[in-house]
Amino acid sequence: MALVKYNNNSLSSVTSAPNFPAGAMTHIKTLTASSSSTLSFVNGSSDVVFDSTYPIYVFKFINIHPATNDAAFTFNGSTDTGSNYNVTKSSSSFNAYHRENGSESGVVYQSGHDLSQGTGFQKLSTGIGNDADDNGSGSFFIFNPSSTTFAKHFLVNSNRSSGTFVVNDHIGGYMNTTSAIDAIQFKMSSGNIDSGTIKLYGIKDS
């Protein structure tokens, strides 16, 4: 294959750039916590898009810091634009953990974090410490939430620090409703979200 060499003249003769495809992931909305009891993303409210526009949505939660020690970061869905957050869910959870000094590590199925056709808030990241340097971060995917035919699957991968441990949480499940999910709310299992950011993105088909 011949090596093509360019100089200033060849570059200066370019009159237009080619069209590059837009990114598949589109930022929709960012919410920032400040001693917040809840953070909610409601379709059609405050520029939030959470409908059939995208087949996949992902929430990125970044440096979530609880006001209360050992609190879990949780979510629930709504089928009535946020009037109620009580969608029926089934889920499964496990985590891998490691102590800072290397004395403990392992992988554990967390049956206590599962829901079995429960309507309560689902844990996304459990037991986050409230020390100054403790926090939780991760990704939360929801697939085709606007479907009126299928259940809505979700996947979570999060990382948290709590005291002398680092813990990687994995949660999978589905919202067992054929109604469209049009709002998602986040909160701590106890106390406020002291600080942190949640970003919502839509992912295109191609």
Side-chain angles (χ1 to χ4, degrees):
M1 183 173 64
L3 178 64
V4 178
K5 298 176 71 174
Y6 293 95
N7 55 39
N8 289 337
N9 290 334
S10 58
L11 293 176
S12 64
S13 65
V14 175
T15 58
S16 64
N19 292 322
F20 293 100
M25 192 162 76
T26 302
H27 175 253
I28 297 171
K29 184 73 176 181
T30 296
L31 295 179
T32 300
S34 179
S35 297
S36 305
S37 58
T38 62
L39 292 177
S40 303
F41 293 80
V42 181
N43 181 54
S45 175
S46 300
D47 300 320
V48 171
V49 175
F50 195 70
D51 55 19
S52 61
T53 302
Y54 300 96
I56 305 170
Y57 289 86
V58 58
F59 295 91
K60 301 282 188 179
F61 50 99
I62 303 161
N63 294 341
I64 300 298
H65 186 264
T68 303
N69 190 52
D70 202 32
F73 185 55
T74 70
F75 93 93
N76 212 331
S78 174
T79 60
D80 53 16
T81 57
S83 294
N84 298 280
Y85 290 96
N86 57 1
V87 176
T88 301
K89 294 171 292 298
S90 286
S91 61
S92 183
S93 174
F94 72 93
N95 63 38
Y97 66 92
H98 193 200
R99 188 182 283 273
E100 287 178 1
N101 64 12
S103 63
E104 296 179 62
S105 62
V107 178
V108 181
Y109 169 56
Q110 295 288 358
S111 60
H113 301 162
D114 295 352
L115 291 176
S116 180
Q117 293 298 280
T119 59
F121 276 67
Q122 170 67 52
K123 294 177 179 179
L124 296 172
S125 190
T126 59
I128 306 173
N130 73 339
D131 288 347
D133 61 347
D134 285 338
N135 67 90
S137 298
S139 299
F140 166 35
F141 289 83
I142 298 180
F143 300 88
N144 202 14
S146 65
S147 173
T148 55
T149 302
F150 299 112
K152 287 72 175 172
H153 290 268
F154 58 87
L155 289 172
V156 182
N157 183 8
S158 66
N159 214 58
R160 58 184 165 93
S161 53
S162 183
T164 61
F165 281 94
V166 60
V167 184
N168 187 219
D169 291 305
H170 296 263
I171 301 102
Y174 59 88
M175 288 178 270
N176 196 13
T177 177
T178 55
S179 298
I181 302 295
D182 53 19
I184 297 290
Q185 185 176 87
F186 299 90
K187 69 178 184 178
M188 306 306 300
S189 59
S190 176
N192 290 336
I193 308 171
D194 178 57
S195 61
T197 301
I198 307 175
K199 293 178 176 289
L200 171 62
Y201 298 86
I203 300 179
K204 299 176 182 178
D205 276 318
S206 59

